[in-house]
Amino acid sequence: GAVVSQHPSRVICKSGTSVKIECRSLDFQATTMFWYRQFPKQSLMLMATSNEGSKATYEQGVEKDKFLINHASLTLSTLTVTSAHPEDSSFYICSVPLMDIWTDTQYFGPGTRLTVL
Amino acid sequence: GENVEQHPSTLSVQEGDSAVIKCTYSDSASNYFPWYKQELGKGPQLIIDIRSNVGEKKDQRIAVTLNKTAKHFSLHITETQPEDSAVYFCAASDRAGGFKTIFGAGTRLFVKA
């Protein structure tokens, strides 16, 4: 399977600051990456689809100006939470889809725990 | 909109027993059904998947069944071990629909030694 890394694994920040989370596909190029948010004891909610070289596609209800996504290369997508507030505290997970004639599987990163004080 | 329902939300079994988790999906266009295992503080890991042209798939102690007519699919874990304790998510996606995946709410499995 694919190897996906995220950095940082944990971050604590003050309210009003911005936080950048990186998602890297380590062993293959990805034109698409997905960003999810997961609140405690809840399922994964898709926030946006990150597209290399073009604008991200956001799910309904997700503020694109608050959650900035940049997919500058085929191996890196970043999610920036701008002007973070305590309600943005969550577990953010990226995934990389691997699609070929045999498979169409998503591989997830280890997640980033964001705590906004 | 598309929806995936998962039951039960919590499941407790004795080590060595079997565990079954069931899911129902609403989008008839769904054609790919992965199952993920998520341990505390980690990202989900794919454990098994099944495509709509297959009714059953097995990998050692894990098996998945799919009933397309009823839009049901299930995960079966046999001879459970304490390390199987985790949260399990079912999901459904339609590759032709842009690979958007809808996840179930998750099942917290406890395997008691």
Side-chain angles (χ1 to χ4, degrees):
Chain A
V3 179
V4 181
S5 71
Q6 277 184 247
H7 179 79
S9 57
R10 289 178 178 271
V11 57
I12 300 174
C13 69
K14 293 182 179 180
S15 185
T17 60
S18 294
V19 175
K20 180 185 284 188
I21 302 170
E22 293 185 347
C23 176
R24 293 184 184 273
S25 175
L26 298 182
D27 53 1
F28 73 96
Q29 296 179 333
T31 57
T32 300
M33 295 183 182
F34 298 104
W35 285 97
Y36 292 86
R37 179 168 50 184
Q38 185 180 34
F39 291 107
K41 297 186 178 181
Q42 294 189 23
S43 189
L44 292 85
M45 296 302 297
L46 180 66
M47 298 175 65
T49 302
S50 174
N51 303 299
E52 189 268 336
S54 64
K55 291 183 179 180
T57 305
Y58 290 83
E59 295 300 301
Q60 191 173 6
V62 178
E63 299 177 58
K64 62 179 181 180
D65 294 330
K66 180 169 183 62
F67 298 99
L68 301 179
I69 291 174
N70 185 2
H71 195 148
S73 77
L74 290 172
T75 59
L76 173 64
S77 174
T78 61
L79 168 69
T80 301
V81 183
T82 62
S83 187
H85 292 286
E87 56 265 31
D88 297 324
S89 298
S90 188
F91 194 50
Y92 292 87
I93 312 172
C94 68
S95 76
V96 174
L98 179 58
M99 296 173 63
D100 56 31
I101 60 173
W102 298 283
T103 185
D104 47 6
T105 302
Q106 284 193 51
Y107 292 92
F108 287 86
T112 297
R113 172 78 56 194
L114 171 63
T115 302
V116 184
L117 302 178
Chain B
E2 302 91 340
N3 185 46
V4 174
E5 293 190 1
Q6 182 171 348
H7 299 280
S9 57
T10 305
L11 179 59
S12 183
V13 300
Q14 202 68 34
E15 182 178 3
D17 289 349
S18 295
V20 180
I21 303 171
K22 298 182 178 182
C23 289
T24 304
Y25 62 98
S26 62
D27 186 359
S28 58
S30 297
N31 53 20
Y32 175 63
F33 308 91
W35 285 87
Y36 292 90
K37 175 183 180 182
Q38 186 178 28
E39 297 178 338
L40 189 63
K42 298 183 179 179
Q45 284 196 319
L46 179 73
I47 56 171
I48 195 168
D49 57 14
I50 191 168
R51 288 167 178 75
S52 58
N53 59 345
V54 176
E56 185 174 354
K57 183 177 179 181
K58 188 174 182 180
D59 182 4
Q60 299 183 339
R61 297 188 295 110
I62 297 173
V64 58
T65 59
L66 171 65
N67 182 331
K68 275 197 68 179
T69 303
K71 297 182 185 174
H72 289 171
F73 58 114
S74 301
L75 177 71
H76 304 252
I77 306 174
T78 58
E79 300 173 29
T80 54
Q81 301 167 3
E83 50 265 38
D84 294 330
S85 298
V87 179
Y88 292 81
F89 292 98
C90 63
S93 73
D94 167 19
R95 183 174 181 174
F99 206 48
K100 183 172 181 177
T101 300
I102 307 297
F103 287 86
T107 295
R108 191 169 297 272
L109 174 64
F110 297 96
V111 180
K112 296 176 287 186

